[in-house]
């Protein structure tokens, strides 16, 4: 660990740290543009000059390019160094358009900050400015090249860090341009990070274009709700409208970046059709009235049919506290009919997966980047957990080999070996791979999905990890799948609840941020069953089908609008904080709803119009109203205190926002005994003696855009959702006499869907895939043997 | 417009696939495509990318870096006039004016008959016969207005 | 009597054929070298005192000895024939008139540095030179000088000629390696140095075409003997000197290293053309600081020219006559450098246009006197804070102008016009 002196202060830093970072450690921040912690030093902008007085290097040098060494004495305020920095800023500003008043970056712009910090104030360049014509880069990212200072961060992020191949550096000298070959959408799933890495306003978030100034935003440290990885973010809202998401640094999870689903999927929060009112059978009610109505419903059912007639469905997408409050209510009501997912298959697999993770083999998302041999079993990282693909690329850049055992034609932003295999072959292929390859690696890692793989594959991954001292990393469905699964424990799943409803035993269902009518795989069954209920009580912030069917509706706060905890796929509990108070955005109360002269609204009231609250508050209200002992549900801190009495959740006691999170170990969650290794509906038809093409098995799959439950309510991310399709192996298609692009009917029994056919050479034979797109009930056919017939060419 | 023939594309593809690093063939491929297409049109750039098996942005990055790859149409011959120091000493500025007047175009433009495009170029390494210029790949030195007129006549 | 080495086959006025080259003692250097150990070849080059002819003057033998010859795997030797320094026309002659000399030099250099693959990186405009080289490579292959087990020595080497597509920055050795790899020719940061991680991240040695062409003669004569060919004690061997501008006999001359600048201009260049007088010169390309008449006795060699505040550079002299406005000359220079900047680092990309703009304002008579301070501050900061040697080279002549021609520059500002234009 070298020790050096910077501005008279001694600092010790790890070997390999550059002097710029060493100074940062002392709180001395020297302006810099091209250097970025994630992308390293390239010495292009020449801004971070310091004077090296003693030691192996002498004179004015750019500090990012010099590794800290013992005996160095460095002056940051040396006049020569300061002159160098001032001149660099002056040069960078010669062509800058000074359009800060109309620039979205204004107020959060490094160029603004460093122009001041660099000491450049008076313009001396009298020549003309160079100008560019910017490109259209799609609906996520806005480009204004005239603001560019050529720090090359965009290129280095997009091409080198993220592995995108449709963006680069064009032209030369002071005409250097960063863009695409031709206008068009940036293709990388990580393109949105350009808005964060660009130190000025060349690349900005188009969805936020001209909506707010940086200083008007209400922000808070938060955690992404759009997949199970738990990337850290900063939501920004203005006047009750969520407007922008920025990545937040967490060196145990996402590092510095997030994916485009996480960045642009936020627009569900301000949809005009978002539930904002408490209603009873469609009639608007006050919060009190709604609570009383719900209490009436529940009490009636309990009185008539006993406590078991009330069922509760929590959710992997809502906070740990909300789910815990639901569980508390269930136990106060003395009903055992509670589950935390409406996808029973996934639920069982996730409960199994988390019970297999322990501190020894569990790996963080960051750890993935330091693995040297990665085996992926039945997960498609870009589509199921996008940031995982980015971390795997970092491992690949360091020389890691990657093999993917998956029936889909998986795409990753780096070279890897794809082994097309059907799920029942996963365990066998995994063993084969481990035997031949894992021996010489120091940090091997097994990544396993929970959608396509069966329990046997999930078990095999854990077993292999334990045997070979490998890291283990399961991808789960949602932001709080882990937490939901721990709470679910050995309790029932939604299959049991549905049967209860169908048999008439269950008369009331409380759906907490879960959408059985829209998301249960087999909508018809759910819809038939739910019609049998006496009452449906729904708490949600999304305008779901279940919300529309609710007898009593409680509009809830979304993640950015409340404090809470998500537990990510690794078992890492992370706090998120309320960025703003939810209510109808002021923007929607002006000219859109009322005569323009009333904008902005002139009605003053201490009430927030359309205000919603975290679901745990409503659940507490109900318990209190029923006269139950609700002290453990009264406040968030009471809920957390109660949670942390469970030794598995003890770690959350010390949790605070902006921490790296706390690891939870689930312990045994042995729900499976009741089902055997292949739960009902999962074991494929044996089909002995049949050719693969004669027993095509369909899997409903997830995509980066268009299938994830929350972001499908965001208009911008939906722009990247594809049209429905089913995909099969090219040779299978040939045998069936089908061609790529044919319009086909996909059927199993009485169920059927129509869509376009896609074929791929790298798809496993005998497997078919259809994405879980909105309005396209691929899920209903999931796990079933299907027939594909042509409807038209 | 002339296109690379199917046979030639096949040959090139085979050549590239024999290389350990296909990207290293890009400059050669761009030169060849440019000779065939006249300039590196979008289609030509895409053809090069396809042959080399690289994303087209990599072709674009190089094509727009180098000054001898043209991403816009040029005349049948490009006149490169050296505008570096030795030719400047020998009166290059006047010759530029003469050429512009004779061709009726400004620097960067192409004559209406499509014969010539006029571009500046850095030192051609012909300083002993400065001022100098290239017409196509032919070097002319010791230029005077009269000699330029003769050359234009000959090269047109 | 001085015997030319590099230029002895130039009299054909076309590429010397393999037969002609061998008749004049060609490939004897290679034969001799292959009988020596690589270490002995390097030692001979160290003894010769040969310094890089591309302009920087790094001792060639030392450069070779730094090459990582231990690690297993491929090594490369690259000839930098991307001659693009304004005012320079020496490598063109070497390749157009005697291509085998460059190839023989490359083979010996490759043998010394254990490089199995050689590249000659040549600018696209040098069509004739490229053709000559390609023909010569075929000839040499046919004669067994290139390929597997050369002359039964066990040493194998392949040679390719790479025709580039323009841009001065390609001549910077790390940028050249990027260009050869099919990447944009931005310079790389050092370390790692090419000697350990160069082309394709393998040990690579790069030398200028003239440097490489000197090698066969050094081997044939012996390093120490070659060294004594110089014109003065501290020099080594012979050097190609060029002269252009308004002199009576512009051209390229092979002379003992360290021949005084005055002799090059007056004796070999024939002195100034009638009606013109000598004002100043750039001793070795557009990136070398100006030399004024009172320093013309300087021996043309790296250290001697550095001592008087300039650089020998490529050794191709551009003479400014009395009609040349120094400010306009520098504008011309900066036009070149701003256009050719690769765009990687700020001082070069955005600083040079600033310098260019001030120079133009001075020339146009609209600059204020205090802009000279801005100019000076620009030049000094660009000089000391750039990524590679390109931008320092671009502003070095301007810095020398501010030292040596301050009066002329100030006159522009005082008169509000160019004093050289009547």
């Amino acid at each position: 660990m070298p020790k050096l002196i910077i501005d008279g202060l001694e600092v010790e830093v790890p070997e390999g740290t550059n002097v710029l970072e060493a100074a940062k450690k002392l709180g001395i921040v020297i302006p810099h543009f091209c250097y970025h912690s994630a992308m390293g030093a390239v010495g292009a902008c020449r801004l971070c000059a310091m004077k090296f007085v003693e030691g192996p290097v002498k004179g004015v040098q750019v500090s990012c390019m010099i590794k800290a060494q013992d005996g160095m004495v460095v002056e940051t305020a040396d006049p020569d160094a300061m002159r160098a920095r001032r001149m660099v800023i002056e040069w960078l500003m010669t062509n800058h358009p000074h359009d800060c008043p109309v620039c979205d970056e204004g107020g959060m712009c490094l160029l603004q900050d460093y122009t001041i910090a660099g000491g450049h104030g008076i313009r001396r360049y009298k020549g003309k400015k160079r100008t560019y014509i910017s490109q259209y880069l799609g609906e996520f990212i806005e480009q204004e090249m005239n603001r560019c200072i050529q720090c090359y961060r965009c290129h280095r992020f997009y091409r080198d860090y993220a592995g995108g191949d449709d963006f680069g550096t064009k032209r030369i000298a002071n005409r250097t341009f960063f863009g695409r070959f031709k206008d068009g959408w940036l293709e990388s799933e990580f393109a949105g990070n350009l808005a964060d890495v660009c130190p000025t306003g060349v690349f900005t978030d188009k969805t936020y274009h001209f909506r707010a100034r940086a200083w008007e935003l209400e922000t808070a440290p938060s955690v992404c709700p759009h997949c199970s990885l738990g990337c850290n973010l900063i939501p920004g809202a203005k006047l009750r409208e969520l407007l922008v998401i920025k990545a937040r640094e967490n060196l145990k999870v996402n590092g510095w970046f997030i994916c485009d689903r996480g960045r642009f999927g936020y627009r569900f929060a301000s949809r005009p059709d978002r539930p904002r009112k408490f209603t009873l059978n469609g009639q608007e009610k006050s919060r009190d009235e709604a609570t009383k109505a719900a209490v009436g419903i529940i009490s009636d059912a309990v009185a008539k049919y006993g406590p078991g007639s009330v069922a509760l469905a929590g959710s992997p997408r809502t906070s740990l506290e909300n789910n815990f409050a639901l569980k508390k209510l269930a136990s106060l009501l003395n009903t055992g009919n509670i589950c935390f997912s409406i996808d029973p298959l996934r639920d069982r697999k996730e409960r199994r997966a988390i019970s297999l993770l322990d501190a020894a083999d569990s790996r963080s998302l960051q750890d993935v980047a330091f693995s040297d041999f990665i085996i992926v079993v039945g997960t498609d990282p870009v589509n199921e957990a996008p940031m995982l693909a980015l971390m795997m690329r970092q491992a690949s850049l360091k020389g890691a080999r990657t093999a993917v055992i998956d029936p889909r034609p998986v795409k990753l932003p780096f070279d890897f070996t794809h082994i097309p295999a059907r799920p029942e072959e996963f365990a066998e292929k995994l063993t084969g791979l481990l035997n031949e390859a894992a021996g010489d690696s120091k940090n091997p890692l097994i990544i396993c999905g929970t959608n396509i793989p069966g329990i046997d594959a999930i078990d095999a991954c854990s077993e292999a990890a334990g045997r070979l001292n490998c890291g283990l990393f399961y991808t789960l469905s949602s932001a709080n799948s882990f937490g939901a699964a721990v709470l679910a424990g050995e309790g029932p799943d939604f299959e049991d609840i549905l049967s209860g409803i169908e048999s008439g035993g269950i008369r009331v269902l409380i759906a907490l941020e879960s959408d059985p009518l829209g998301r249960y795989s087999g909508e018809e069954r759910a819809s038939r069953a739910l019609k049998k209920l006496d009452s449906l009580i729904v708490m949600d912030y999304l305008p779901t089908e279940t919300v529309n069917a609710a007898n009593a509706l409680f509009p809830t706060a979304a993640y950015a609008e409340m404090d809470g905890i998500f537990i990510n796929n690794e078992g890492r509990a992370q706090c998120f904080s309320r960025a703003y108070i939810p209510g109808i955005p002021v923007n929607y109360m002006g000219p859109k709803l009322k005569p323009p002269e009333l904008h902005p609204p002139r009605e003053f009231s201490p009430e927030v119009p359309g205000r919603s609250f975290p679901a745990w508050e409503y659940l507490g209200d109900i318990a209190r109203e029923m006269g139950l002992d609700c002290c453990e549900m009264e406040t968030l801190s009471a809920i957390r205190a109660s949670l942390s009495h469970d030794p598995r959740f003890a770690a959350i006691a010390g949790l605070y926002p902006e921490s790296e999170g706390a690891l939870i170990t689930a312990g045994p969650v042995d729900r499976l005994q009741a089902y055997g290794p292949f739960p009902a509906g999962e074991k494929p038809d044996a089909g002995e003696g049949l050719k693969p093409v004669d027993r095509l098995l369909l899997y409903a799959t997830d995509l980066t855009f268009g299938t994830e439950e929350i972001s499908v309510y965001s208009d911008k991310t939906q722009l990247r959702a594809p049209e429905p399709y089913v995909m099969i192996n090219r040779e299978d298609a040939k045998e069936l006499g089908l061609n790529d692009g044919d319009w086909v009917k996909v059927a199993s029994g009485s169920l059927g869907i129509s869509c376009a056919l896609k074929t791929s050479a790298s798809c496993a034979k005998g497997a078919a895939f259809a994405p879980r797109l909105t309005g396209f009930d691929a899920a209903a056919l999931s796990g079933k043997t299907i027939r594909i017939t042509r409807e038209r060419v | 417009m002339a296109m690379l023939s199917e046979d030639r594309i096949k040959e090139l593809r085979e050549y590239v696939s024999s290389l350990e690093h296909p990207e290293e063939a890009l400059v050669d491929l761009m030169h060849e495509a440019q000779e065939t297409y006249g300039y590196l049109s979008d289609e030509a750039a895409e053809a090069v990318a396809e042959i080399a098996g690289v994303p087209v942005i990599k072709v674009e990055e190089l094509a727009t870096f180098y000054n001898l790859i043209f991403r816009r149409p040029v005349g049948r011959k490009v006149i490169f006039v050296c505008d570096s120091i030795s030719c400047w000493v020998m009166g290059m500025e006047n010759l530029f004016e003469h050429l512009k007047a004779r061709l009726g175009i400004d620097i960067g433009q192409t004559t209406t008959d499509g014969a010539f495009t006029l571009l500046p170029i850095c030192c051609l390494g012909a300083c002993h016969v400065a001022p100098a210029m290239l017409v196509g790949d032919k070097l002319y030195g010791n230029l005077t207005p009269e000699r330029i007129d003769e050359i234009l006549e000959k090269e047109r | 009597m001085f015997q030319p080495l590099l230029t002895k086959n130039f009299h054909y006025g076309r590429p010397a054929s393999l037969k002609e080259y061998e008749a004049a003692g060609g490939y004897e250097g290679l034969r001799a070298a292959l009988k020596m150990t690589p270490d002995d070849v390097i030692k001979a080059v160290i003894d010769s005192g040969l310094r890089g002819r591309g302009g920087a003057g790094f001792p060639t033998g030392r450069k070779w000895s730094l090459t990582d010859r231990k690690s297993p795997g491929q090594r490369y030797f690259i000839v930098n024939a991307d001659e693009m320094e304004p005012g320079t026309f020496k490598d063109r002659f070497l390749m157009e008139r005697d291509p085998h000399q460059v190839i023989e030099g490359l083979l010996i250099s490759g043998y010394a540095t254990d490089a199995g693959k050689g590249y000659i990186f040549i600018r696209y405009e040098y069509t004739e030179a490229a053709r000559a080289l390609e023909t010569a490579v075929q000839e040499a292959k046919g004669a067994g000088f290139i390929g597997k087990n050369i002359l039964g020595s066990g040493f194998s080497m392949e040679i390719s000629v790479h025709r580039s597509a323009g841009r001065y920055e390609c001549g910077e050795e790390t940028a050249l390696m990027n260009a050869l790899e099919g990447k944009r020719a931005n310079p790389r940061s050092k370390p790692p140095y090419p000697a350990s991680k160069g082309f394709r991240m393998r040990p690579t040695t790069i030398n200028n075409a003239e440097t490489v062409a000197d090698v066969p003669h050094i081997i044939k004569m012996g390093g120490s003997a070659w060294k004594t060919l110089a014109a003065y004690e501290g020099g080594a061997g012979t050097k190609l000197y060029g002269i252009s501008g308004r002199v009576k006999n512009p051209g390229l001359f092979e002379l003992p290293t360290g021949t005084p600048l005055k002799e090059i201009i007056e004796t070999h260049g024939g002195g100034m053309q009638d009606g013109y007088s000598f004002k100043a010169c750039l001793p070795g390309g557009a990136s070398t600081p100006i030399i004024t008449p009172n320093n013309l006795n300087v021996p043309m060699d790296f250290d001697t020219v550095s001592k008087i505040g300039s650089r020998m550079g490529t050794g191709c002299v551009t003479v400014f006559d009395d009609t040349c406005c120094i400010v306009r000359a520098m504008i011309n220079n900066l036009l070149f450098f701003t256009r050719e900047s690769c765009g990687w680092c700020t001082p070069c990309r955005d600083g040079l246009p600033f310098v260019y703009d001030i120079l133009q304002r001075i020339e146009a008579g609209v600059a204020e006197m205090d802009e000279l301070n801005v100019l000076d501050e620009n030049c000094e900061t660009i000089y000391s804070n750039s990524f590679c040697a390109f931008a320092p080279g671009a502003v070095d002549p301007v810095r020398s102008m501010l030292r040596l021609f301050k009066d002329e520059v100030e006159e522009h500002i005082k008169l509000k016009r160019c004093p050289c234009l009547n």
Side-chain angles (χ1 to χ4, degrees), chain C residues 108-369:
Chain C
I108 301 171
S109 309
Y111 176 68
T113 55
D114 192 26
K117 175 83 196 182
Y119 287 91
I120 302 172
F121 188 101
I122 186 168
R123 63 183 293 197
Y124 193 71
E125 296 92 325
Y126 280 10
T127 315
E128 265 184 64
R131 275 190 209 132
L133 283 170
E134 272 158 6
T135 310
V137 166
Q138 288 313 317
E139 284 181 318
K141 249 186 204 165
F145 295 124
I146 298 176
K148 290 218 152 59
N149 189 17
I150 296 166
L151 303 174
S153 64
F155 172 66
S156 303
M157 189 175 192
E158 294 297 335
I159 291 178
S160 298
V161 178
H162 174 84
R163 295 184 69 187
S164 184
R167 293 306 173 200
Y168 177 72
E169 182 63 10
C170 293
E172 202 278 342
E173 63 176 13
T174 57
L176 185 150
M177 295 185 305
N178 276 338
L180 205 53
E181 287 178 12
K183 298 178 181 141
R184 286 167 64 89
N186 295 128
R188 298 179 182 172
S189 60
K190 295 185 240 185
Y193 291 91
S196 54
K197 284 179 179 165
F199 178 57
R200 298 177 178 166
M201 293 311 271
R202 298 291 312 152
T204 305
T205 320
I206 302 193
N207 275 128
N208 171 259
E210 185 189 345
T211 316
V212 166
D214 280 325
V215 171
H217 306 292
I218 290 169
I219 298 303
K220 270 193 285 186
M221 297 176 68
S224 314
W226 187 84
K227 188 174 195 295
T228 59
L229 297 176
Y232 79 114
E233 188 74 23
T238 66
K239 168 85 187 88
L240 294 178
Y241 293 106
I243 180 155
S244 63
R246 294 203 187 272
V247 293
K248 285 192 182 118
N249 183 30
L252 187 71
F253 310 97
E254 183 182 7
L255 300 171
T257 299
T259 301
L261 181 55
K262 195 181 177 84
E263 185 188 324
I264 296 171
I265 297 169
E266 290 181 0
T267 311
H268 304 283
M272 298 303 291
Q273 286 178 9
D274 296 339
Y276 294 94
S277 60
F278 180 91
K279 180 173 183 177
C281 70
L282 300 175
S287 59
T288 54
I290 303 165
I291 292 181
T292 47
N294 54 349
N295 273 324
L296 284 186
N297 288 322
V298 64
M300 274 287 274
D301 199 357
F302 296 106
D303 295 342
T304 46
V305 178
S306 294
K307 246 176 235 158
I308 60 157
S310 182
R311 291 191 307 116
M312 180 172 76
T314 63
C316 288
V317 185
T318 304
V319 172
F320 296 139
D321 57 73
D322 53 338
T323 68
C324 293
C325 167
I326 287 294
V327 176
R328 281 173 67 203
M330 292 303 109
I331 289 174
N332 178 276
N333 247 2
L334 261 293
L335 170 71
F336 165 80
F337 284 111
T338 53
R339 196 170 64 198
E340 294 297 322
S341 166
C342 80
W344 179 247
C345 78
T346 310
C348 186
R349 182 188 62 242
D350 292 329
L352 296 182
F354 199 162
V355 171
Y356 180 66
D357 185 65
I358 298 174
L359 289 172
Q360 279 201 310
R361 290 173 53 78
I362 294 170
E363 176 64 16
V366 296
E368 306 286 336
M369 204 55 92

Side-chain angles (χ1 to χ4, degrees), chain A residues 12 94 137 140 260 281 321 353 394 458 516 610 628 641 682 742:
Chain A
E12 189 170 357
T94 55
L137 299 175
F140 287 171
D260 285 3
N281 298 320
E321 294 91 333
Q394 305 321 306
I458 290 169
L628 302 167
E682 187 179 336
D742 285 354

Side-chain angles (χ1 to χ4, degrees), chain A residues 458-732:
Chain A
I458 290 169
D459 284 350
C461 287
S462 162
E463 187 275 326
R467 180 162 46 86
L468 298 167
N469 212 7
C470 273
L472 187 57
F473 191 93
Y474 290 108
T475 55
L476 311 177
S477 61
S478 301
N480 194 31
S481 285
F482 195 109
V486 175
L487 291 177
E490 293 168 22
D493 58 35
F494 193 63
E495 188 85 34
D496 303 320
I497 306 249
L498 265 186
S499 309
I501 298 170
E502 282 161 347
S503 69
I506 292 170
R507 316 298 294 231
V508 171
L509 176 67
I510 304 173
L512 165 62
E513 295 178 13
S514 73
D515 178 20
L517 287 177
R519 305 287 298 187
Y520 176 70
S521 59
E523 287 167 26
E524 272 184 65
R525 182 181 170 201
S527 149
R528 264 198 318 274
L530 265 57
K531 281 200 185 101
K532 290 190 71 176
L533 287 172
D534 291 349
S535 284
L536 176 62
I537 299 170
V538 181
M539 299 178 179
D540 211 336
Y541 55 86
L542 294 174
T544 65
E545 289 180 42
T546 309
V547 161
N548 290 335
N551 297 103
L553 173 63
F554 293 76
T556 60
Y559 79 103
E561 302 159 347
M562 59 188 255
D563 293 346
I565 293 170
F566 286 150
I567 303 181
N568 80 354
N569 65 314
E570 178 202 0
R572 185 176 299 273
Q574 299 188 94
C575 281
F576 52 90
S577 303
R578 184 173 77 185
Y580 64 103
I581 295 171
I584 299 171
V586 172
N587 186 32
Y588 297 172
M589 302 187 63
K592 282 176 193 156
L593 301 178
K594 292 182 178 171
E597 64 270 19
L598 289 181
H599 177 71
R602 296 294 199 273
E603 301 151 13
F604 295 98
S605 149
E607 300 295 314
V608 173
R611 170 137 194 208
S612 37
F613 301 86
W616 60 263
E617 290 194 28
Y618 305 145
L619 296 163
D621 289 351
I622 290 170
R624 194 181 313 109
E625 189 68 26
M626 294 184 79
L628 302 167
D629 174 16
C630 61
C631 65
E632 285 174 60
M633 306 163 67
E634 285 279 334
T635 62
L636 201 66
S637 46
I639 292 178
R640 288 185 184 171
S642 178
L643 257 170
S644 60
H645 288 147
D646 180 337
R648 294 174 300 175
F649 290 117
I652 69 163
L655 209 54
Y656 59 95
E658 294 186 278
S659 70
E660 286 181 338
L663 278 181
I664 305 294
T665 305
V669 184
D670 213 354
R671 170 62 184 160
L672 290 161
Q673 298 309 329
Y675 296 95
F678 285 105
E682 187 179 336
K683 188 173 170 64
D685 294 350
E688 302 293 334
L690 286 176
K691 281 190 293 184
V693 68
D694 295 324
R695 50 178 185 98
L696 277 175
L697 199 68
L698 186 124
Y699 300 92
T701 56
D702 288 312
L703 298 177
T704 317
F705 303 104
T707 64
E708 183 268 326
E709 186 173 3
I710 304 175
S711 64
V712 294
Y713 292 96
S714 170
D715 51 352
K716 296 297 179 188
T717 41
Q718 282 304 91
L719 293 172
R720 290 202 67 186
E723 290 298 310
Y725 63 85
V726 63
M727 179 184 279
I728 61 173
N729 178 278
R730 193 167 292 160
E731 285 172 39
D732 283 358

Side-chain angles (χ1 to χ4, degrees), chain A residues 221-477:
Chain A
S222 195
V223 175
C224 185
H226 297 292
C227 84
S228 66
L229 298 179
C231 298
N232 288 207
L233 354 135
I234 307 172
K238 174 186 167 187
L239 303 173
R240 299 195 291 269
E241 186 175 9
L242 186 53
L243 289 175
V244 65
I245 303 290
K246 292 198 159 278
R248 185 163 63 85
E249 186 180 314
N250 184 334
L251 295 181
K252 287 280 190 231
V253 187
N254 53 309
W256 295 265
F257 306 112
I258 55 174
C259 71
D260 285 3
R261 181 159 89 203
R263 187 179 300 271
F264 303 111
Y266 70 89
R267 289 168 64 94
F268 68 88
S270 306
R271 277 174 73 105
D273 60 353
R274 172 173 167 180
R276 300 280 188 190
K277 294 170 186 163
F278 299 86
T279 62
L280 184 65
N281 298 320
Q283 299 298 308
E284 183 172 352
K285 298 286 169 191
S286 69
R287 178 175 169 181
D288 263 2
E289 289 166 340
T291 305
K292 289 200 169 81
V295 167
I297 290 166
I298 296 165
S299 308
D300 281 359
V302 172
K304 272 194 211 162
Y305 310 106
S309 64
V310 178
L312 305 92
S315 157
R317 69 166 151 97
T318 194
S319 72
L320 185 65
E321 294 91 333
N322 280 351
N323 277 327
F324 181 76
L326 189 75
K327 190 172 181 181
K328 201 77 215 168
L329 181 63
S331 79
L332 291 173
L333 290 171
N334 204 21
T335 171
N337 290 326
I338 181 166
C339 70
F340 295 89
S341 163
I342 46 114
D343 182 344
L345 280 183
R346 191 79 187 253
D347 185 10
R348 288 166 202 164
K349 290 193 270 192
E350 291 186 339
R351 287 194 223 178
R352 179 65 166 198
I354 64 152
S355 72
L356 298 171
L357 278 178
D358 60 42
D361 53 20
S362 179
R363 293 290 182 273
S364 73
L365 187 54
Q366 279 298 306
D367 292 336
V368 173
F370 295 93
S371 306
D372 56 2
F373 179 52
I374 301 176
I375 302 180
V376 176
V377 180
T379 187
D380 178 353
V382 172
N383 285 312
E384 296 182 353
M387 279 297 291
L388 173 59
L390 200 65
M391 288 304 154
M392 288 166 68
R393 176 173 166 83
Q394 305 321 306
S396 165
L397 289 174
K398 296 185 191 98
R401 289 171 303 143
T402 301
V404 178
I405 306 171
D406 195 282
R408 288 163 285 188
V410 171
K411 285 197 182 108
L412 289 168
F414 54 91
D415 288 339
F416 66 100
T417 312
H418 180 220
I419 301 161
R422 290 168 48 128
E424 62 269 28
E425 302 165 328
F426 285 172
E428 175 197 330
K429 298 275 182 194
L430 172 67
T431 313
L433 257 180
L434 287 170
N435 286 346
E436 74 188 52
D440 52 346
S441 59
K442 291 194 176 66
N443 290 309
L445 173 66
I446 299 173
I447 296 173
C448 182
T450 46
N451 178 27
I452 285 190
I455 294 288
D456 60 332
I458 290 169
D459 284 350
C461 287
S462 162
E463 187 275 326
R467 180 162 46 86
L468 298 167
N469 212 7
C470 273
L472 187 57
F473 191 93
Y474 290 108
T475 55
L476 311 177
S477 61

Side-chain angles (χ1 to χ4, degrees), chain A residues 706-773:
Chain A
T707 64
E708 183 268 326
E709 186 173 3
I710 304 175
S711 64
V712 294
Y713 292 96
S714 170
D715 51 352
K716 296 297 179 188
T717 41
Q718 282 304 91
L719 293 172
R720 290 202 67 186
E723 290 298 310
Y725 63 85
V726 63
M727 179 184 279
I728 61 173
N729 178 278
R730 193 167 292 160
E731 285 172 39
D732 283 358
K734 211 185 257 174
E735 272 194 60
L736 293 168
L738 298 170
N739 294 313
D740 193 281
D742 285 354
W743 191 260
V744 294
K745 171 114 177 161
V746 182
S748 175
S750 62
L751 295 169
I753 48 176
S754 294
C755 60
L757 178 74
K758 278 193 187 182
T759 65
S760 162
S762 51
C763 192
K765 288 187 167 188
F769 309 98
R772 287 193 181 92
L773 297 164

Side-chain angles (χ1 to χ4, degrees), chain A residues 140-157:
Chain A
F140 287 171
I141 290 292
E142 176 82 9
Q143 185 185 38
E144 175 44 88
M145 260 308 286
N146 288 327
R147 298 175 185 144
C148 184
I149 56 165
Q150 276 88 7
C151 67
Y152 289 82
R153 275 190 189 183
C154 54
H155 178 117
R156 290 186 291 137
F157 172 77

Side-chain angles (χ1 to χ4, degrees), chain A residues 44-45 86 91 124 152 171, chain C residues 184 341 343 345-346 377-378 385:
Chain A
C45 78
R86 178 170 50 75
W91 292 324
R124 301 188 293 181
Y152 289 82
R171 304 173 74 187
Chain C
R184 286 167 64 89
S341 166
C345 78
T346 310
E377 197 174 34
N378 265 285
N385 191 31

